[in-house]
């Protein structure tokens, strides 16, 4: 009872905010609606008993990825009127694509129900003595260890790629070297010159 | 109908949970009101001033007077602001600040929601905290708030990484993400606390874990935008950062959210590294032998005392450390804290596997 109320509430919020991502006039509002959609989907995960995945969704997508989205969108100097101009022109195109996607997803789900791995099997209740984290860890680090490692390597390569693409050594920039600054002492920075009275010190001597 | 079955029904359960939530919210609010005063008093005494001393005895009611002043003022919303987002931003900040308290155990079993993924929940909620600031800064439609919110977003996302890695050390040692069980793992004398290595079998790790607890403290300062890392609101450069356009109640909400977060971070340091409700100088069997109400009073007082201690440390830091420059802040987060905590995770997990055994 309570669970179904929560499900319909979360599902409705997720769907409506997903719709508003597309229709919102202001791109920043779109991103904010997207965050709400992520958050409600995390709630759906909790209802399924997958609290670990729910928390990961919030930490990774809402807490990090969406912040960067928001960052980029806020920095853009967008003309909202111009942005709306293409709406009617691209509407049929968008409708075709979403129609094709919908048809494909329905076909795939029907195929999975009829002939896929879950065919004729009832879902297994998660055992209560094993927490989410342990359950995922047991398969992730045993059966799927190679895929897991491969995914890690792909991410590492992507990270190195992003760094090499953006890293530029500019030669004329003065950089701060903290160790040099910390190790600087009186002997390195001050030199005592004895000036003869009546003669002073000439500029050349100071160099 | 006997009372036991009533509290197990959905209605009774809802009532008792709402009651617990109200208790914690009001408790934290009143606590924050006095801690805010303590913060100002500490700051004042470092600068050899008296601090607030007019409202009530020793100025004890100063925070309440301030609150009434803020609430009674007019809410000014700038003409160019995005009104809805402008109003929602401080509300989000405050709600998220209080949400995190749901999994904090004050004493054995005294927790609203004893989640198995408690630490991840805290991590998720605190990573959402940045939205209040970003939305506030953007919706103000003004330069200083926007710069402040951009700085804040980068700062909080960066320091979350090192916070997360440090927390992993504690999770590895305790073998659970449930905060109550993490505190139970540190029960007994103070050498069982994770800051001092976590007791038998892992005591040599004190070499790593004690510095880790200090790095956690520093990262907590950055995560809550406290001096010396208060770049988002650096008053000498950005006037007050994301709060410039805010006035009256919305400003009060921002400030309250910030202080609730600071107290929360002090509670986290206490729970993760300094034994939570365990006094540390009394043996576990002695505590269990005491009458329940005395034992629970000791537990609660211990937790509160430790939290207040860390809060006072944070206010002292505010009083005598100068503000970091922004690039130095980023350097510290990414080039110093991140590698250090990563190495610590490697060593602690190796110790866990090869010395203690899985």
């Amino acid at each position: 009872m309570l669970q179904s109320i929560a499900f319909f509430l979360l599902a409705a919020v997720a769907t409506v905010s997903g719709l508003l991502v597309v229709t919102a006039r202001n791109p920043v509002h779109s991103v904010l609606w997207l965050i709400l959609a992520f958050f409600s989907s995390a709630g759906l995960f909790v209802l399924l008993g997958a609290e670990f995945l729910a928390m990961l969704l919030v930490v990774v997508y809402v807490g990090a990825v969406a912040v960067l989205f928001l960052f980029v969108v806020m920095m853009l100097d967008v003309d909202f009127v111009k942005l709306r101009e293409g709406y009617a022109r691209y509407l049929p195109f968008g409708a075709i694509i979403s129609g094709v996607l919908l048809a494909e997803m329905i076909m795939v789900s029907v195929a999975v129900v009829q002939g896929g791995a879950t065919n004729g099997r009832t879902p297994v209740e998660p055992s209560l003595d094993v927490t989410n984290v342990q359950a995922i860890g047991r398969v992730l680090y045993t059966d799927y260890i190679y895929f897991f490692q491969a995914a890690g390597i792909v991410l590492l390569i992507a990270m190195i790629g992003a760094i090499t693409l953006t890293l530029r050594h500019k030669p004329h920039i003065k950089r701060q070297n903290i160790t040099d600054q910390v190790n600087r002492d009186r002997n390195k920075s001050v030199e005592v010159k004895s000036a003869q009275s009546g003669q002073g010190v000439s500029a050349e001597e100071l160099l | 109908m006997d009372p036991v079955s009533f509290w197990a029904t959905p209605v009774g359960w809802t009532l008792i949970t709402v009651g617990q939530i109200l208790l914690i919210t009001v408790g934290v609010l009143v606590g924050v009101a006095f801690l805010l005063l303590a913060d100002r008093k500490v700051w004042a005494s470092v600068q050899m001033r008296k601090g607030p001393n007019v409202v009530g005895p020793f100025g004890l009611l100063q925070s309440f007077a301030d609150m009434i002043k803020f609430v009674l003022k007019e809410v000014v919303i700038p003409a160019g602001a995005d009104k809805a987002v402008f109003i929602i931003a401080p509300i989000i900040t405050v709600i998220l600040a209080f949400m995190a308290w749901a999994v904090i155990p004050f004493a054995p079993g005294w927790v609203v929601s004893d989640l198995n993924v408690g630490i991840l929940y805290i991590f998720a909620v605190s990573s959402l905290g940045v939205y209040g600031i970003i939305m506030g800064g953007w919706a103000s439609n003004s330069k200083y708030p926007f710069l402040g919110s951009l700085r804040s977003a980068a700062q909080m996302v960066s320091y979350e990484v090192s916070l997360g890695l440090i927390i992993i050390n504690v999770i590895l040692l305790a073998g659970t993400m449930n905060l109550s069980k993490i505190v139970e793992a540190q029960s007994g004398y103070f050498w069982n606390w994770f800051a001092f290595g976590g007791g038998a079998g892992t005591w040599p790790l004190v070499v790593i874990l004690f510095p880790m607890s200090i790095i956690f403290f520093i990262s907590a300062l950055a995560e809550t935008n406290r001096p010396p890392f208060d770049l988002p609101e650096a008053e000498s450069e950005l006037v007050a950062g994301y709060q410039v356009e805010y006035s009256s109640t919305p400003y009060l909400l921002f400030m309250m959210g910030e202080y609730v977060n600071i107290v929360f971070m002090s509670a986290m340091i206490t729970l993760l590294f300094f034994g939570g409700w365990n006094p540390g100088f009394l043996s576990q069997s002695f505590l269990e032998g005491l009458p329940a109400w005395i034992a629970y009073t000791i537990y609660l007082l211990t937790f509160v005392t430790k939290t207040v201690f860390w809060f006072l440390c944070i206010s002292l830091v505010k009083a005598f450390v100068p503000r970091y420059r922004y690039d130095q802040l980023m350097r510290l987060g990414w080039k110093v804290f991140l590698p250090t905590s990563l190495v610590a995770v490697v060593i602690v997990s190796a110790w866990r596997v090869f010395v203690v055994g899985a």
Side-chain angles (χ1 to χ4, degrees):
Chain A
M1 171 62 186
L2 263 177
Q3 286 222 331
S4 27
I5 294 175
F7 170 77
F8 283 114
L9 199 68
L10 288 169
V13 171
T15 322
V16 170
S17 49
L19 199 67
L20 284 166
V21 172
V22 191
T23 54
R25 286 179 171 272
N26 191 329
V28 174
H29 290 176
S30 290
V31 179
L32 293 177
W33 286 118
L34 182 70
I35 292 158
L36 186 59
F38 279 147
F39 199 69
S40 331
S41 330
L44 290 176
F45 271 124
V46 172
L47 282 183
L48 284 172
E51 65 257 22
F52 181 64
L53 284 183
M55 294 308 154
L56 280 194
L57 185 72
V58 175
V59 171
V60 175
Y61 283 94
V62 185
V65 176
V67 172
L68 296 181
F69 278 4
L70 205 56
F71 226 83
V72 172
V73 172
M74 283 194 321
M75 306 279 264
L76 294 177
D77 186 22
V78 272
D79 185 355
F80 299 131
V81 184
K82 218 172 182 179
L83 206 68
R84 306 300 296 179
E85 271 176 4
Y87 192 71
R89 195 150 56 90
Y90 293 117
L91 194 61
F93 192 59
I96 292 170
I97 289 183
S98 43
V100 169
L101 266 179
L102 183 68
E104 281 179 351
M105 278 168 76
I106 290 175
M107 285 195 300
V108 166
S109 3
V110 170
V112 166
V113 169
Q114 288 179 346
T118 55
N119 183 25
R121 292 183 202 168
T122 46
V124 187
E125 279 278 313
S127 60
L128 289 174
D129 56 325
V130 179
T131 62
N132 261 237
V133 191
Q134 285 170 326
I136 290 179
R138 278 181 194 175
V139 285
L140 199 60
Y141 293 104
T142 52
D143 296 353
Y144 299 102
I145 180 71
Y146 294 116
F147 301 103
F148 184 65
Q149 295 281 350
I153 290 171
V154 169
L155 283 176
L156 179 67
I157 291 170
M159 192 178 86
I160 295 172
I163 292 172
T164 30
L165 280 177
T166 50
L167 184 69
R168 281 180 184 70
H169 286 291
K170 295 174 190 156
H172 306 300
I173 282 183
K174 211 175 170 187
R175 283 183 190 278
Q176 189 182 17
N177 190 339
I178 307 261
T179 9
D180 277 3
Q181 288 183 346
V182 172
N183 290 332
R184 187 164 180 258
D185 58 8
R186 191 174 174 276
N187 295 331
K188 286 182 194 161
S189 37
V190 182
E191 197 178 343
V192 181
K193 297 256 181 186
S194 52
Q196 292 295 320
S197 101
Q199 292 178 343
V201 185
S202 69
E204 289 80 46
E205 275 178 82
L206 284 176
L207 290 173
Chain B
M1 194 165 68
D2 61 319
V4 179
S5 73
F6 173 69
W7 294 123
T9 58
V11 179
W13 177 83
T14 312
L15 276 179
I16 205 165
T17 313
V18 169
Q20 286 171 339
I21 292 170
L22 279 180
L23 188 69
I24 288 189
T25 312
V26 173
V28 169
L29 264 182
V30 173
V32 162
F34 288 111
L35 284 174
L36 220 160
L37 179 77
D39 190 32
R40 293 171 71 177
K41 283 279 191 189
V42 167
W43 202 10
S45 36
V46 171
Q47 296 172 348
M48 298 174 93
R49 292 184 286 119
K50 276 190 174 169
N53 62 349
V54 177
V55 191
F58 312 110
L60 277 176
L61 300 175
Q62 179 68 41
S63 304
F64 298 97
D66 283 344
M67 197 198 78
I68 291 167
K69 183 192 76 177
F70 277 126
V71 171
L72 292 181
K73 280 192 171 181
E74 185 193 353
V75 182
V76 181
I77 300 178
D82 187 320
K83 282 197 184 56
V85 181
F86 188 81
I87 295 292
I88 292 171
I91 299 177
I92 284 188
T93 307
V94 149
I95 290 178
L96 288 172
F98 278 108
M99 255 172 83
W101 284 89
V103 291
I104 292 286
F106 291 87
W110 287 17
V111 49
V112 175
S113 172
D114 202 14
L115 277 181
N116 271 330
V117 286
I119 287 194
L120 270 181
Y121 171 83
I122 284 170
F123 208 55
V125 170
S126 70
S127 69
L128 290 179
V130 68
Y131 282 113
I133 293 175
I134 290 192
M135 284 163 71
W138 176 79
S140 302
N141 201 1
S142 158
K143 290 184 195 70
Y144 289 132
F146 189 57
L147 279 174
S149 68
L150 285 184
R151 280 184 176 188
S152 159
Q155 173 178 337
M156 289 172 84
V157 170
S158 314
Y159 275 83
E160 234 154 56
V161 183
S162 73
L163 275 185
L165 282 172
I166 296 166
I167 288 175
I168 286 177
N169 288 321
V170 174
I171 296 175
L172 281 170
L173 284 179
T176 173
M177 290 193 189
N178 186 323
L179 278 169
S180 307
K181 286 181 185 152
I182 287 177
V183 178
E184 271 163 29
Q186 308 175 56
S187 61
Y189 292 103
F190 65 85
W191 51 80
N192 287 340
W193 297 354
F194 284 140
F196 305 116
T202 52
W203 62 268
L205 289 180
V206 63
V207 187
I208 293 163
L209 285 170
F210 193 70
M212 278 301 118
S213 63
I214 293 168
I215 292 184
F216 189 91
F217 176 76
I218 300 171
S219 302
L221 292 177
E223 184 72 11
T224 50
N225 299 324
R226 277 292 284 194
F229 306 113
D230 60 339
L231 275 306
E233 44 196 279
E235 71 272 4
S236 52
E237 335 165 3
L238 294 181
V239 192
Y242 62 95
Q243 298 170 338
V244 170
E245 303 291 349
Y246 279 90
S247 56
S248 172
T249 318
Y251 173 77
L252 174 71
L253 289 179
F254 260 136
M255 202 177 68
M256 206 155 71
E258 201 174 296
Y259 270 87
V260 171
N261 265 330
I262 295 163
V263 181
F264 174 74
M265 274 298 173
S266 326
M268 279 299 283
I269 302 169
T270 309
L271 289 173
L272 293 177
F273 288 103
F274 292 91
W277 64 67
N278 295 302
F281 53 87
L282 299 171
S283 78
Q284 191 63 20
S285 52
F286 172 74
L287 278 171
E288 278 161 7
L290 286 172
W293 66 274
I294 297 182
Y296 274 81
T297 314
I298 292 177
Y299 289 141
L300 190 63
L301 278 181
T302 312
F303 179 75
V304 171
T305 313
K306 285 177 185 171
T307 307
V308 169
F309 172 77
W310 287 112
F311 182 85
L312 292 180
C313 285
I314 291 178
S315 7
L316 276 178
V317 171
K318 174 185 179 175
F320 48 61
V321 182
R323 180 178 298 127
Y324 258 59
R325 213 172 56 201
Y326 193 68
D327 60 320
Q328 292 171 337
L329 170 91
M330 282 298 166
R331 176 184 167 275
L332 187 71
W334 288 106
K335 291 186 177 171
V336 182
F337 284 178
L338 181 65
T340 319
S341 42
L342 197 61
V343 168
V345 169
V346 171
I347 297 174
V348 169
S349 46
W351 189 279
R352 188 80 176 75
V353 171
F354 295 115
V355 181
V356 181

